[in-house]
Amino acid sequence: MLAKIALGAIALLCVVIATRPAAFRVQRTATIAAPAEVVFAEIGDLHRWERWNPFEQGDPSMRKTFEGSPSGVGSAYHYVSDRTGEGRMTLTEIDPHRRVAVRAEFIKPFAATNQVEFTLRPAANGAVAVTWAMSGRNNFVGKAISLFVGMDRMVGGEFEKGLAQLKRVSEAEAQRNDSRRVAVAG
Protein backbone atom coordinates (compact mmCIF):
# COMPACT_ATOMS: atom_id res chain seq x y z
CA MET A 1 0.00 0.00 0.00
CA LEU A 2 2.77 2.47 0.90
CA ALA A 3 4.59 1.60 -2.30
CA LYS A 4 1.48 2.49 -4.35
CA ILE A 5 1.11 5.81 -2.51
CA ALA A 6 4.81 6.63 -3.02
CA LEU A 7 4.59 5.67 -6.70
CA GLY A 8 1.47 7.82 -7.11
CA ALA A 9 3.19 10.77 -5.40
CA ILE A 10 6.22 10.40 -7.67
CA ALA A 11 3.99 10.22 -10.74
CA LEU A 12 2.08 13.32 -9.62
CA LEU A 13 5.33 15.19 -8.99
CA CYS A 14 6.57 14.23 -12.48
CA VAL A 15 3.34 15.54 -14.02
CA VAL A 16 3.63 18.80 -12.08
CA ILE A 17 7.27 19.23 -13.16
CA ALA A 18 6.51 18.36 -16.79
CA THR A 19 3.68 20.91 -16.99
CA ARG A 20 5.75 23.79 -15.56
CA PRO A 21 6.67 26.47 -18.09
CA ALA A 22 9.99 25.86 -19.77
CA ALA A 23 10.69 29.49 -20.67
CA PHE A 24 12.20 31.79 -18.08
CA ARG A 25 13.57 35.31 -17.85
CA VAL A 26 15.46 36.83 -14.95
CA GLN A 27 16.45 40.49 -14.95
CA ARG A 28 17.68 43.22 -12.66
CA THR A 29 18.28 46.93 -13.29
CA ALA A 30 20.53 49.48 -11.62
CA THR A 31 21.20 53.13 -12.30
CA ILE A 32 24.86 54.02 -12.64
CA ALA A 33 26.13 57.60 -12.39
CA ALA A 34 28.54 57.28 -15.29
CA PRO A 35 28.36 57.90 -19.03
CA ALA A 36 27.09 55.00 -21.14
CA GLU A 37 30.47 54.68 -22.90
CA VAL A 38 32.22 54.03 -19.57
CA VAL A 39 29.71 51.35 -18.52
CA PHE A 40 29.68 49.85 -22.01
CA ALA A 41 33.50 49.51 -21.92
CA GLU A 42 33.15 47.24 -18.86
CA ILE A 43 30.40 45.09 -20.35
CA GLY A 44 31.65 44.89 -23.93
CA ASP A 45 35.16 43.69 -23.00
CA LEU A 46 35.21 40.12 -21.65
CA HIS A 47 38.63 40.72 -20.09
CA ARG A 48 37.02 43.28 -17.76
CA TRP A 49 34.23 41.02 -16.50
CA GLU A 50 36.33 39.75 -13.61
CA ARG A 51 36.26 43.30 -12.19
CA TRP A 52 32.49 43.22 -11.59
CA ASN A 53 30.94 39.85 -12.46
CA PRO A 54 30.12 37.88 -9.26
CA PHE A 55 30.21 34.58 -11.14
CA GLU A 56 33.95 35.20 -11.65
CA GLN A 57 34.86 36.93 -8.41
CA GLY A 58 36.06 35.05 -5.37
CA ASP A 59 36.74 31.87 -7.33
CA PRO A 60 40.49 31.18 -7.36
CA SER A 61 39.85 27.87 -9.14
CA MET A 62 38.41 29.57 -12.26
CA ARG A 63 40.52 29.10 -15.36
CA LYS A 64 39.60 31.07 -18.48
CA THR A 65 40.74 30.77 -22.07
CA PHE A 66 39.95 33.78 -24.25
CA GLU A 67 39.30 33.57 -27.99
CA GLY A 68 39.23 36.38 -30.51
CA SER A 69 39.59 40.02 -29.64
CA PRO A 70 38.78 41.24 -26.11
CA SER A 71 35.58 42.87 -27.33
CA GLY A 72 33.26 42.75 -30.30
CA VAL A 73 31.01 40.14 -31.85
CA GLY A 74 32.63 36.71 -31.70
CA SER A 75 34.79 37.50 -28.69
CA ALA A 76 34.54 34.57 -26.29
CA TYR A 77 35.95 32.78 -23.33
CA HIS A 78 35.73 29.25 -22.03
CA TYR A 79 35.84 28.74 -18.27
CA VAL A 80 36.30 25.84 -15.90
CA SER A 81 35.62 26.33 -12.20
CA ASP A 82 35.15 24.19 -9.12
CA ARG A 83 32.42 26.59 -7.98
CA THR A 84 30.43 27.40 -11.13
CA GLY A 85 31.25 24.46 -13.39
CA GLU A 86 32.23 24.74 -17.03
CA GLY A 87 30.91 26.92 -19.80
CA ARG A 88 31.50 29.40 -22.57
CA MET A 89 30.47 33.04 -23.02
CA THR A 90 30.33 34.49 -26.54
CA LEU A 91 29.43 38.05 -27.50
CA THR A 92 26.79 37.70 -30.22
CA GLU A 93 25.48 41.25 -30.74
CA ILE A 94 26.89 44.69 -29.97
CA ASP A 95 25.10 48.02 -30.25
CA PRO A 96 27.72 50.45 -28.89
CA HIS A 97 26.71 52.19 -25.67
CA ARG A 98 23.23 50.56 -25.85
CA ARG A 99 23.29 46.76 -25.84
CA VAL A 100 25.49 43.67 -25.52
CA ALA A 101 24.06 40.20 -26.19
CA VAL A 102 25.84 37.07 -25.01
CA ARG A 103 25.32 33.37 -25.72
CA ALA A 104 25.89 31.65 -22.38
CA GLU A 105 26.64 27.97 -22.88
CA PHE A 106 26.70 25.98 -19.66
CA ILE A 107 28.42 22.62 -20.00
CA LYS A 108 28.73 21.40 -16.40
CA PRO A 109 27.15 20.71 -13.97
CA PHE A 110 24.04 20.99 -16.22
CA ALA A 111 24.01 21.56 -19.97
CA ALA A 112 22.02 24.59 -21.14
CA THR A 113 22.32 27.47 -23.55
CA ASN A 114 20.79 30.78 -22.48
CA GLN A 115 20.72 34.30 -23.82
CA VAL A 116 22.19 37.06 -21.67
CA GLU A 117 21.57 40.68 -22.49
CA PHE A 118 22.84 43.95 -21.08
CA THR A 119 20.85 47.02 -22.11
CA LEU A 120 21.81 50.60 -21.34
CA ARG A 121 19.25 53.42 -21.34
CA PRO A 122 19.79 57.08 -20.53
CA ALA A 123 18.72 58.10 -17.02
CA ALA A 124 18.55 61.44 -15.20
CA ASN A 125 21.63 63.65 -14.78
CA GLY A 126 23.78 61.83 -17.33
CA ALA A 127 23.45 58.48 -15.58
CA VAL A 128 22.62 55.22 -17.32
CA ALA A 129 20.10 52.53 -16.36
CA VAL A 130 21.65 49.11 -16.94
CA THR A 131 19.51 45.98 -17.19
CA TRP A 132 21.14 42.55 -16.91
CA ALA A 133 18.82 39.81 -18.15
CA MET A 134 19.03 36.11 -18.87
CA SER A 135 16.42 34.08 -20.70
CA GLY A 136 16.22 30.51 -21.82
CA ARG A 137 14.31 27.26 -21.62
CA ASN A 138 14.51 24.74 -18.82
CA ASN A 139 14.61 21.02 -19.57
CA PHE A 140 12.92 18.57 -17.17
CA VAL A 141 15.75 18.75 -14.61
CA GLY A 142 15.75 22.56 -14.81
CA LYS A 143 11.99 22.62 -14.29
CA ALA A 144 12.38 20.36 -11.26
CA ILE A 145 15.06 22.58 -9.75
CA SER A 146 13.04 25.73 -10.48
CA LEU A 147 10.03 24.18 -8.71
CA PHE A 148 11.95 24.30 -5.43
CA VAL A 149 14.48 27.10 -5.90
CA GLY A 150 13.36 29.21 -8.85
CA MET A 151 15.60 30.74 -11.50
CA ASP A 152 14.92 34.21 -10.17
CA ARG A 153 16.16 33.29 -6.70
CA MET A 154 19.13 31.32 -8.10
CA VAL A 155 20.38 34.06 -10.41
CA GLY A 156 18.67 37.33 -9.46
CA GLY A 157 20.76 37.95 -6.34
CA GLU A 158 23.96 37.44 -8.31
CA PHE A 159 22.76 39.93 -10.94
CA GLU A 160 22.12 42.46 -8.14
CA LYS A 161 25.65 41.93 -6.76
CA GLY A 162 27.13 42.23 -10.24
CA LEU A 163 25.27 45.43 -11.02
CA ALA A 164 26.39 46.92 -7.68
CA GLN A 165 30.00 46.02 -8.56
CA LEU A 166 29.57 47.36 -12.12
CA LYS A 167 28.24 50.59 -10.59
CA ARG A 168 31.25 50.88 -8.27
CA VAL A 169 33.77 50.17 -11.03
CA SER A 170 32.09 52.39 -13.65
CA GLU A 171 31.55 55.35 -11.33
CA ALA A 172 35.19 55.18 -10.18
CA GLU A 173 36.33 55.10 -13.83
CA ALA A 174 34.07 58.06 -14.67
CA GLN A 175 35.62 60.04 -11.79
CA ARG A 176 39.12 59.19 -13.00
CA ASN A 177 38.17 60.37 -16.49
CA ASP A 178 36.76 63.63 -15.08
CA SER A 179 39.96 64.19 -13.07
CA ARG A 180 42.07 63.61 -16.19
CA ARG A 181 39.97 66.11 -18.18
CA VAL A 182 40.33 68.73 -15.43
CA ALA A 183 44.09 68.16 -15.23
CA VAL A 184 44.50 68.48 -19.00
CA ALA A 185 42.30 71.59 -19.17
CA GLY A 186 43.99 73.20 -16.16
Side-chain angles (χ1 to χ4, degrees), residues 43-119:
I43 297 168
D45 183 342
L46 294 175
H47 292 265
R48 292 185 176 193
W49 280 29
E50 65 188 22
R51 295 169 30 140
W52 56 268
N53 188 330
F55 297 103
E56 295 188 27
Q57 293 180 335
D59 187 359
S61 73
M62 183 175 277
R63 296 169 310 283
K64 294 188 288 187
T65 306
F66 290 92
E67 298 173 21
S69 65
S71 61
V73 173
S75 177
Y77 74 82
H78 174 261
Y79 65 90
V80 177
S81 162
D82 294 336
R83 188 180 87 163
T84 57
E86 180 181 0
R88 178 181 173 83
M89 299 289 150
T90 306
L91 301 183
T92 58
E93 294 177 42
I94 302 279
D95 185 359
H97 311 151
R98 291 189 187 98
R99 183 172 176 273
V100 174
V102 181
R103 183 176 57 246
E105 299 168 274
F106 303 102
I107 299 166
K108 293 178 185 175
F110 301 105
T113 300
N114 297 327
Q115 300 306 309
V116 174
E117 178 181 55
F118 297 91
T119 55

Side-chain angles (χ1 to χ4, degrees), residues 9-24 138-154:
I10 291 170
L12 180 61
L13 180 61
C14 287
V15 168
V16 168
I17 292 169
T19 59
R20 289 188 51 78
F24 70 87
N138 282 323
N139 59 19
F140 186 82
V141 172
K143 288 181 184 183
I145 292 169
S146 73
L147 179 64
F148 299 103
V149 179
M151 286 299 290
D152 194 77
R153 193 163 14 136
M154 282 176 36

